[in-house]
Amino acid sequence: MTVRTRVTIIGAGPAGLLLAHLLDRQGIESVVIDSRTREEIETTIRAGILEQGTVEVLSQTGASDRVLTVGQRHEGIDLAFAGEHHRIDFAATTGRAVWLYPQHEALKDLIAARLAAGQDIRFGVRAERVEDPDSDRPRVVATDGDGAPLEIEADWVVGADGSRSVARASISGRHSGAFREYPFAWFGILCEAPPSAEELIYSNSQQGFALISQRSPEVQRMYFQCDPDADPNAMSEAELWDTLQARVPGTTLNQGRIFQRDVLRFRSFVASDLRRGRVVLVGDAAHTVPPTGAKGMNLAVADVVLLADALRAALAGDDAPIDAFPERAQQRIWKAQHFSWWMTSMLHLQPGASDFDRQRQLGELRTVVESEAGRTYLAEAYTGWPLAGVERVLG
Ligand code: DHB
């Protein structure tokens, strides 16, 4: 079967769904496909911190009301090191904030809004490849849930299909780009307990990094630095609590039943080409950041805000914004890469670190927390730089 539309979007994650939503607001039809089921998408646990600009886009375009009612506004974080706690006050330094709202909740809102608007989202449809990217009718060749072939022909194809992107393979080869791997990972848990602190704690400790995050008044998310090959099931609950507690001296963790464990590997990646002809990459298909600082989903939203406007212009005959898209998107991507790398390297224990390395790291942390400029830099980056093109998308 062949389907025709204006924009084919591969991937029903935050980038793909938000793009479909923003295009629809401009009267542009799209088809979204994803190899996963709706349930898988709505229940996979991901990060939970949304920049202020992300929240404004979601709430002011009608994509999510719940982000403001269920989500929790956080006006700072706690940076802990050398047995001390230091608050980074976002409100005082930047007047901005972030929201704690789990990514899968944002996805539920986006899917509900898209389906209510009668949009075409096809779950369980696997993109195999993109054909004719250089023509003005690129085609996505896919297979539906019953194994039947499906072709979607459009004016534009957007690869929002994550780090193992099929669209990227058709642009520049699967792994073409700047890549960096880290010698550690995060062990993540979800537990049934009340929050242990009002705000998130990012802790540099002698045993390694820990992050005390939250999900709701009843459920908490916590992470600790571990070996990339760690087996999530090898440790008992008691060992997990001992490991976490030892890394946040000065705070008593509220413990409770641990009902999910996972190991997140750390990678930095930026695809060498974000566009070929009529095919464009956004979100994790275009870049991966290590999780420290929670830039992943926010960066995807920034890509999409820029792209929605560029596609509107291109479909109206003006190619200048889409021609400028890769360069403009890359500028923010590299700022976010730097921030994520910086937070990671400042907070984690490098395997084999010498006493010099360790003391230098503490000197760096002290430089940040004791300087208004240092606290402001961290707060600006964490709460999110201004979103280019947001006025036209909100307007
Ligand atoms: C969470 C993840 C992050 O990477 C981060 O920096 C803060 C919070 C989270 O999952 O809650």
Side-chain angles (χ1 to χ4, degrees):
M1 187 167 92
T2 300
V3 172
R4 288 186 178 78
T5 187
R6 303 306 302 276
V7 181
T8 308
I9 300 171
I10 312 173
L17 290 169
L18 181 64
L19 180 63
H21 176 68
L22 297 181
L23 291 175
D24 184 38
R25 277 170 47 91
Q26 298 173 332
I28 299 166
E29 182 200 78
S30 65
V31 173
V32 181
I33 61 169
D34 199 297
S35 57
R36 297 166 296 172
T37 63
R38 179 176 178 183
E39 204 205 331
E40 252 178 291
I41 294 170
E42 291 187 344
T43 55
T44 304
I45 307 289
R46 293 279 173 88
I49 291 287
L50 304 185
E51 293 174 4
Q52 179 157 331
T54 298
V55 170
E56 285 164 4
V57 170
L58 290 175
S59 59
Q60 291 176 29
T61 65
S64 170
D65 299 325
R66 291 196 315 143
V67 64
L68 293 176
T69 53
V70 178
Q72 295 166 45
R73 184 183 160 95
H74 281 234
E75 294 193 344
I77 55 167
D78 181 343
L79 265 195
F81 59 92
E84 305 161 22
H85 287 261
H86 298 265
R87 180 161 192 255
I88 305 293
D89 187 334
F90 302 153
T93 46
T94 65
R96 296 172 73 77
V98 295
W99 270 255
L100 194 111
Y101 189 61
Q103 177 169 321
H104 68 276
E105 295 294 334
L107 289 173
K108 280 189 208 166
D109 298 343
L110 276 161
I111 290 171
R114 297 298 65 237
L115 293 177
Q119 267 212 326
D120 195 339
I121 309 181
R122 302 182 185 212
F123 300 104
V125 174
R126 178 178 302 280
E128 308 291 349
R129 61 186 178 278
V130 181
E131 291 185 346
D132 294 338
D134 298 314
S135 78
D136 58 7
R137 296 300 287 166
R139 272 189 324 281
V140 174
V141 177
T143 311
D144 73 15
D146 302 323
L150 171 71
E151 283 198 14
I152 312 174
E153 201 180 282
D155 297 288
W156 288 87
V157 172
V158 177
D161 49 344
S163 54
R164 285 187 281 270
S165 173
V166 166
R168 188 171 70 230
S170 76
I171 288 193
S172 59
R174 196 167 288 268
H175 296 301
S176 168
F179 184 77
R180 180 180 215 279
E181 201 143 8
Y182 297 76
F184 39 75
W186 277 2
F187 196 113
I189 63 155
L190 278 169
C191 67
E192 285 169 1
S196 297
E198 275 184 25
E199 293 175 341
L200 271 56
I201 305 174
Y202 287 80
S203 181
N204 170 309
S205 85
Q206 302 226 23
Q207 291 83 16
F209 174 72
L211 169 59
I212 310 305
S213 184
Q214 310 171 2
R215 280 294 175 270
S216 69
E218 298 83 27
V219 172
Q220 311 311 319
R221 180 80 161 141
M222 302 181 194
Y223 303 94
F224 64 86
Q225 176 184 347
C226 68
D227 189 273
D229 297 320
D231 170 2
N233 297 312
M235 285 170 95
S236 69
E237 280 204 25
E239 284 169 327
L240 290 173
W241 285 118
D242 286 348
T243 304
L244 278 162
Q245 183 60 73
R247 295 184 185 197
V248 282
T251 299
T252 304
L253 295 179
N254 288 321
Q255 303 186 2
R257 187 176 75 86
I258 293 172
F259 63 91
Q260 192 186 300
R261 321 156 161 232
D262 42 20
V263 172
L264 279 76
R265 285 179 168 250
F266 271 48
R267 292 197 172 97
S268 299
F269 170 74
V270 182
S272 46
D273 302 298
L274 301 189
R275 175 187 174 198
R276 173 170 165 193
R278 295 277 190 109
V279 184
V280 188
L281 302 179
V282 289
D284 282 359
H287 43 72
T288 306
V289 292
T292 331
K295 281 284 157 269
M297 171 172 170
N298 293 297
L299 201 50
V301 168
D303 293 344
V304 162
V305 165
L306 208 52
L307 183 61
D309 190 54
L311 285 178
R312 178 198 52 73
L315 287 166
D318 174 10
D319 276 352
I322 195 75
D323 290 343
F325 171 81
E327 171 71 25
R328 294 187 75 193
Q330 294 253 13
Q331 287 178 5
R332 189 187 184 96
I333 292 166
W334 280 109
K335 282 166 70 175
Q337 282 294 358
H338 171 70
F339 177 68
S340 307
W341 168 87
W342 177 66
M343 287 284 278
T344 299
S345 61
M346 183 167 67
L347 289 163
H348 291 71
L349 184 65
Q350 295 288 335
S354 66
D355 187 49
F356 174 88
D357 298 331
R358 177 91 195 111
Q359 296 296 341
R360 188 211 56 80
Q361 202 181 39
L362 294 177
E364 182 175 11
L365 281 157
R366 212 169 282 290
T367 306
V368 172
V369 301
E370 291 180 1
S371 147
E372 186 173 345
R375 294 193 302 275
T376 305
Y377 165 67
L378 201 162
E380 278 174 355
Y382 196 98
T383 57
W385 302 288
L387 283 169
V390 77
E391 329 71 51
R392 285 187 295 283
V393 158
L394 295 180

